[in-house]
Amino acid sequence: MELISIADVRAAADDVAGTVLRTPLLPTAWDDELWLKPESLQPVGSFKLRGATHAVARLDPALRSRGVVTHSSGNHGQALAYAARAFGVPCTVVVPEGAPAVKVDRMRALGADVRLVQPARRLAEAERIVAETGAALVPPFDHPAIIAGQGTIGLEIVADLPDVDVVLVPVGGGGLGSGVATAVKALRPSAAVIGVEPALAADARESLAAGEVVVWDVARTYRTCADGLRTNLSALTLAHLRERLDGIVTVTEDEIMSAAGRLMRDARLVVEPSGAVATAARLYHRGELPAGRTVAVVSGGNAEAAVLAAALAV
């Protein structure tokens, strides 16, 4: 299986410039060797804007004009709706029932046609709409252009902290980890890229151990509060992570919520649970991680008020 290259990531950086915010590295007051990469500051509140913008830019114009379709619990759907609006094309998002209302509302506000379905039906429904309309399917993570777009985060990290030792990245479907690891390992081979996922949705760790995609059903993955990390890997993302990721750790629900509260109180960032897992690894599993200058990717900040309040109360 062909993996993306650093050249692909650099091409993506050209495509997303002007649409995607180049987020800063923020030092933390509580850890002098920890910096945060706040993708929660993107116009749609998550890193997903990078991959979606790059993917839409690379579509054949005739195909793109027929619109784009995806399936998403929220962040990729918002990102694709934003990118589609920028290109002036229609967007349909198939959303699993139970997705945070704040994410669904924002997708609709960006002009997306939202279709709610049972979680296990999301991909099948998206494929049905594509077959019916002739629109382009832009998957959340299982596509080289998506992976390359997410990899632009790695370019920025190494540019801003050339002597970075460790990069911590959340893992759901694996597109973010695949892209970031591609860029960081190409530019800073000595740095370790470590994936982080909820213990209640640890399918990526199991897949890496097995050497093949291990699927956890929705009854298992939906136990975690980190709704953006409930997705299983694909063969494409597993291939990237096996080749380029240096390890993976898991964090508990209490650790995730505590880290989210810490980020909101002390870093003054609005952070959803999925966006807090990398910081949780540094806070609570430091002994399992390589030492040195560390960047934690804060992947998103789209959470309902009740979730934010619960994290602040921890």
Side-chain angles (χ1 to χ4, degrees):
M1 185 174 296
E2 187 173 354
L3 306 186
I4 70 159
S5 68
I6 187 63
D8 296 320
V9 179
R10 289 196 166 112
D14 291 338
D15 278 349
V16 305
T19 300
V20 169
L21 177 68
R22 192 193 190 288
T23 53
L25 283 187
L26 303 178
T28 58
W30 66 86
D31 183 337
D32 61 8
E33 284 195 317
L34 176 64
W35 286 260
L36 306 173
K37 182 66 168 168
E39 289 296 294
S40 51
L41 300 179
Q42 292 293 346
V44 296
S46 86
F47 75 95
K48 293 282 193 176
L49 186 59
R50 295 173 182 268
T53 299
H54 179 48
V56 174
R58 290 289 158 139
L59 288 173
D60 176 86
L63 175 59
R64 186 170 59 216
S65 69
R66 295 198 290 270
V68 291
V69 178
T70 196
H71 56 95
S72 168
S73 63
N75 284 343
H76 176 64
Q78 289 180 77
L80 189 63
Y82 189 99
R85 189 175 68 173
F87 280 92
V89 300
C91 175
T92 302
V93 184
V94 178
V95 178
E97 293 169 348
V102 63
K103 296 183 179 183
V104 176
D105 291 344
R106 287 174 182 165
M107 281 187 271
R108 288 184 170 130
L110 288 165
D113 176 8
V114 174
R115 312 279 183 91
L116 293 168
V117 300
Q118 293 179 349
R121 286 279 309 155
R122 54 190 277 181
L123 175 57
E125 179 64 12
E127 291 174 339
R128 187 194 67 77
I129 294 168
V130 166
E132 182 180 276
T133 64
L137 181 65
V138 181
F141 55 88
D142 189 25
H143 193 284
I146 296 290
I147 293 171
Q150 321 306 24
T152 59
I153 293 171
L155 289 182
E156 295 173 12
I157 288 172
V158 177
D160 290 350
L161 190 67
D163 56 355
V164 62
D165 297 308
V166 185
V167 178
L168 304 175
V169 58
V171 177
L176 175 60
S178 296
V180 170
T182 295
V184 172
K185 300 303 284 189
L187 300 173
R188 172 77 168 162
S190 64
V193 182
I194 307 294
V196 188
E197 65 181 345
L200 294 185
D203 57 283
R205 182 177 66 174
E206 194 171 327
S207 297
L208 286 166
E212 62 183 10
V213 175
V214 177
V215 175
W216 285 27
D217 63 34
V218 294
R220 295 182 74 186
T221 60
Y222 268 59
R223 298 173 300 163
T224 182
C225 63
D227 63 277
L229 304 179
R230 293 168 175 163
T231 311
N232 294 287
L233 300 181
S234 69
L236 180 63
T237 56
L238 176 60
H240 282 82
L241 297 181
R242 289 188 71 192
E243 179 74 22
R244 294 167 181 170
L245 201 67
D246 293 289
I248 193 161
V249 300
T250 63
V251 291
T252 69
E253 297 298 288
D254 287 346
E255 290 165 352
I256 294 169
M257 292 298 280
S258 177
R262 184 69 173 270
L263 288 166
M264 285 189 278
R265 285 190 301 269
D266 296 343
R268 293 161 294 281
L269 293 172
V270 176
V271 181
E272 65 185 278
S274 301
V277 297
T279 304
R282 176 73 175 186
L283 286 171
Y284 298 106
H285 297 268
R286 192 164 178 173
E288 300 172 40
L289 302 172
R293 295 166 292 272
T294 299
V295 173
V297 177
V298 179
S299 54
N302 294 312
E304 302 204 8
V307 175
L308 300 176
L312 286 168
V314 173

